[in-house]
Amino acid sequence: MTKVTRVTSKCVSLLLGISSVAGFLYTPLTPSSPSRPAMPHLLSPCQFSEYYETRRILLVLGLHVVPPTHASSLFDRDGRPSLTTSTSSSFAADGQRRKKSSGGIGSSTSRCVSQLSSSAQNRGGNRRPGRRKTRHAQNPAMADTKFLRKRTEELLRITSPDAINTAGPSTPLSKSKGMKVDRRTFNFLIDAWAFSGDANAADYAVDLLRRMESLASSHSISTVTNSTIETMPGSTSDRRNIQPDVRSYTKAINAYSRSGRSDAGEQAENLMREMENLYNSGENPTVRPNSYTYTGVIEAYANSGAPGSALAADRICEEMIRKGKEIVVDDTRKDGDDVKFNARAFNAAIRAWAESDEPDAAIKAESILGKMRELYKETGNRDVKPNAKHYNSVISVWANSGEKGAANRAEEILKQMETSGVDDSSISPTTVSCNAVIDAWAKSGEEGAAEHAEVILDKMIKGHLNGSKVKANVRSFNSVINAWAKSRDARAAQKAEEILDRMRLLAEEGDEDVRPDTASFSTVINAWARSHNLDKAERALDLYKQMCELYEASGQSNEKVRPNVIIYNAVMNACAFTMGDSIEQHRAMEIAHSMLTQLEKSEHGTPDQITYGTFLKVCANQMPEGETRDQIVNVVFRKCARDGQVGQMVLQQMKALASPAVYEKFFQKSLDEDVNVNDLPLEWRCNVVEGRKRRRRHLA
């Protein structure tokens, strides 16, 4: 794995003998280099291996570390190791300093390595034993997609049929961007794309894979060294060196699984079927699908969110189980040796059901948990042994299922964990387990759901005081508040605010894990909006003011209580449903207008389609029909269109609120005709974010 040189306080001793160390560190690692000198006593074995491993990875990409002119060049101005890189293949024998590049791939890689060095130093120097490295630390190219794209495009260019045919044998095609073309380089870049997070990562990964296939099947194999591409006879060993293997295909499948594309599962499975065909036909015996391949396909379906993806993930999971159980003896091996059960694949299948809209999703998810228990009992394979994470996932599926009795079933699974956890701590309930059950009750809508949720919260608090590791956090409290907000209990709003007060008291006593956040306040405001209290608008406004006071008291540093657009929308929603006489209605209208105006002027956010839609709802509920209301609707809709926030909610409110004349003026249709959002001018709707989940991600 790639390691980045780190400098800590312990490395200050390097400065004492820097003149002797400098020559050692910067000995070029090229075939023409003289033999390495003995390692000085000033460098520990760890430092030695880290430095050369970093340089080795850069060399794979055709990059070299620039030697310094003097000892101080070993460090930058911040005291970090200076790993300046260059793509040129020639080194100055006497260690002269190179001229700085004005950009390009070399400087891009230098920034990448510098960022990784800085990150490592911020974590406190050397990595603690046993801590798993991040994927970016393993593959530095992932930290810079611009660099990655350049290297990929260069590799595809110099290995294209046209480039090879045009160049001819031993003809230089690149003087500065050449790289060694072999399976290792391709796999390195495919893996980098898989974890890059780039929108086109999967396409780049597959392009690289297809180029490997093309090179391996062609009549000649391209071998690119530092600055020269040579066309050599395509021997069997050459083809093996470039031919994609199981890792190549699996890494490309991982690129699909992380892409979030709706067709990710289908494309990933197609690649796996290609692997099976190549292996079964004997054309490529190195691409037999293994456990990682199956896991990647299952995750691709789970992450795609496409209709039917859960069924497909379940089908692949069943196939993996069947392959793992088969024992068909051939000359050298048993069928199934490459496909072994692993908990990650099963959890992905459970997650696929969690994201599914299928009516029996929760039952299917729980059946996978049952299969894991059975397989562990049959085989004793600890890799398939379910743990608390798998139980938590199933509880969450039940919580989101909407099925009758879902909350009870979720709580039964929690009790199973408590019972089994006595003998096996890996199955003991966690805070996540309890929160998921509280959430199940909050979403159930059943009679007494809020009381059930609060009982679990109280149990968590008391258990922790008695030594339990399960500790209530802000999400635990927020879920109970949500349970009360959604209940039809006459005391709901008051109970929700009491939970909020309880959170604030515990936070003041030093429990930072339960300090209220924006979600806490907005949920209580929504509880008041749903209540039958006449002063709900005033109550909502008071909570908003409390948030502002907390935010200002923190010196505007506590982002958790910084009012955002959700809070403003919640207060306006309480105004929309305010009941009472004309005085109450006028006050509600006044508060709503104040919220809209403050949001427009504040740094906390900008009005969205929910803001405008909710304000129009306030006008519909709190103002009588007439010219004044039409004038307000006209002004508000124009602002909404100017901000590009005319979405479905705004159209619904316009249809319910606007007079026939106003409606026809804006949409050139009568009130009897529906207006489709996509038929509106693009500038009216360009900033609309539909869907609750998408809006939350947008705000984040």
Side-chain angles (χ1 to χ4, degrees), residues 168-245:
S170 304
T171 303
L173 289 183
S174 174
K175 293 184 178 180
S176 63
K177 296 184 180 180
M179 65 187 79
K180 185 175 182 181
V181 175
D182 60 7
R183 185 188 303 118
R184 185 177 183 179
T185 301
F186 275 97
N187 283 358
F188 181 90
L189 291 173
I190 293 172
D191 188 51
W193 279 117
F195 290 88
S196 69
D198 188 88
N200 300 312
D203 294 330
Y204 276 111
V206 173
D207 285 346
L208 289 164
L209 179 66
R210 297 309 182 202
R211 181 56 52 84
M212 293 176 76
E213 294 172 338
S214 174
L215 292 171
S217 63
S218 64
H219 295 295
S220 62
I221 302 298
S222 302
T223 301
V224 183
T225 55
N226 289 334
S227 62
T228 304
I229 177 168
E230 301 177 89
T231 303
M232 300 170 54
S235 65
T236 302
S237 61
D238 290 331
R239 288 196 177 90
R240 276 196 200 119
N241 189 45
I242 199 67
Q243 190 175 46
D245 60 7

Side-chain angles (χ1 to χ4, degrees), residues 1-5 21-30 33 36-37 47-68 74 82-86 91 98 109 113 140 184 188:
M1 292 188 296
T2 303
K3 297 182 179 178
V4 179
T5 305
V21 178
F24 166 75
L25 282 178
Y26 287 91
T27 302
L29 288 178
T30 64
S33 299
R36 295 172 184 161
Q47 293 165 338
F48 174 86
S49 61
E50 284 183 351
Y51 184 83
Y52 274 102
E53 182 66 10
T54 302
R55 291 185 64 178
R56 183 186 64 75
I57 291 300
L58 296 176
L59 284 167
V60 170
L61 296 174
L63 303 168
H64 301 284
V65 178
V66 179
L74 281 169
S82 178
L83 292 177
T84 307
T85 58
S86 170
F91 278 86
R98 294 177 183 272
T109 308
V113 176
R184 185 177 183 179
F188 181 90

Side-chain angles (χ1 to χ4, degrees), residues 389-667:
K389 182 177 180 180
H390 301 98
Y391 281 88
N392 294 346
S393 296
V394 173
I395 291 173
S396 295
V397 180
W398 276 111
N400 297 321
S401 68
E403 294 186 25
K404 186 177 181 180
N408 274 311
R409 184 60 196 148
E411 192 163 352
E412 287 174 13
I413 295 173
L414 179 65
K415 290 176 180 177
Q416 288 178 18
M417 295 176 71
E418 291 172 341
T419 302
S420 301
V422 174
D423 300 320
D424 185 354
S425 60
S426 69
I427 307 178
S428 296
T430 64
T431 299
V432 175
S433 315
C434 296
N435 287 352
V437 176
I438 292 173
D439 192 44
W441 281 113
K443 294 176 179 178
S444 69
E446 296 181 20
E447 193 72 28
E451 284 88 347
H452 277 285
E454 194 166 350
V455 165
I456 297 172
L457 176 65
D458 290 338
K459 186 176 179 181
M460 292 173 72
I461 295 171
K462 292 175 182 176
H464 184 67
L465 291 174
N466 292 326
S468 171
K469 294 181 179 179
V470 178
K471 182 180 184 298
N473 56 22
V474 67
R475 183 167 182 176
S476 313
F477 281 87
N478 286 353
S479 294
V480 175
I481 291 174
N482 191 38
W484 279 112
K486 291 183 175 180
S487 74
R488 293 180 291 273
D489 195 298
R491 307 165 297 157
Q494 188 62 49
K495 294 288 290 184
E497 191 160 351
E498 287 175 6
I499 299 293
L500 177 64
D501 291 339
R502 190 175 176 186
M503 294 174 73
R504 295 179 65 173
L505 180 61
L506 289 171
E508 288 171 3
E509 293 175 352
D511 190 349
E512 289 295 324
D513 291 335
V514 300
R515 186 172 293 280
D517 58 11
T518 303
S520 313
F521 281 92
S522 65
T523 309
V524 176
I525 291 172
N526 286 329
W528 282 112
R530 292 189 179 102
S531 73
H532 295 290
N533 293 65
L534 298 179
D535 61 344
K536 62 176 70 176
E538 292 287 358
R539 293 273 195 169
L541 179 62
D542 183 58
L543 287 165
Y544 162 75
K545 290 179 178 178
Q546 290 180 35
M547 278 194 72
C548 292
E549 289 172 3
L550 288 172
Y551 182 59
E552 292 299 329
S554 71
Q556 298 186 352
S557 63
N558 186 1
E559 290 294 314
K560 291 184 178 180
V561 291
R562 182 174 68 90
N564 59 19
V565 66
I566 294 176
I567 294 295
Y568 288 91
N569 293 349
V571 175
M572 282 193 277
N573 190 51
C575 295
F577 292 101
T578 292
M579 300 170 289
D581 55 23
S582 59
I583 296 176
E584 293 286 349
Q585 290 181 314
H586 179 76
R587 179 57 179 156
M589 193 70 210
E590 186 178 45
I591 292 172
H593 181 260
S594 173
M595 288 292 103
L596 179 58
T597 303
Q598 288 183 49
L599 180 57
E600 289 176 328
K601 295 178 180 179
S602 78
E603 298 178 354
H604 304 325
T606 56
D608 59 11
Q609 72 139 335
I610 305 300
T611 309
Y612 287 112
T614 305
F615 188 82
L616 290 172
K617 188 191 297 183
V618 176
C619 295
N621 293 349
Q622 308 301 347
M623 293 186 70
E625 294 182 11
E627 184 177 347
T628 302
R629 192 169 83 170
D630 284 349
Q631 288 176 350
I632 292 176
V633 170
N634 181 67
V635 171
V636 171
F637 185 82
R638 286 182 181 278
K639 283 185 177 182
C640 181
R642 177 202 63 195
D643 292 345
Q645 294 289 356
V646 182
Q648 194 60 46
M649 182 179 180
V650 173
L651 291 180
Q652 290 172 354
Q653 294 304 318
M654 286 294 289
K655 193 173 183 66
L657 169 67
S659 65
V662 172
Y663 192 86
E664 186 173 354
K665 172 185 175 182
F666 286 118
F667 306 117

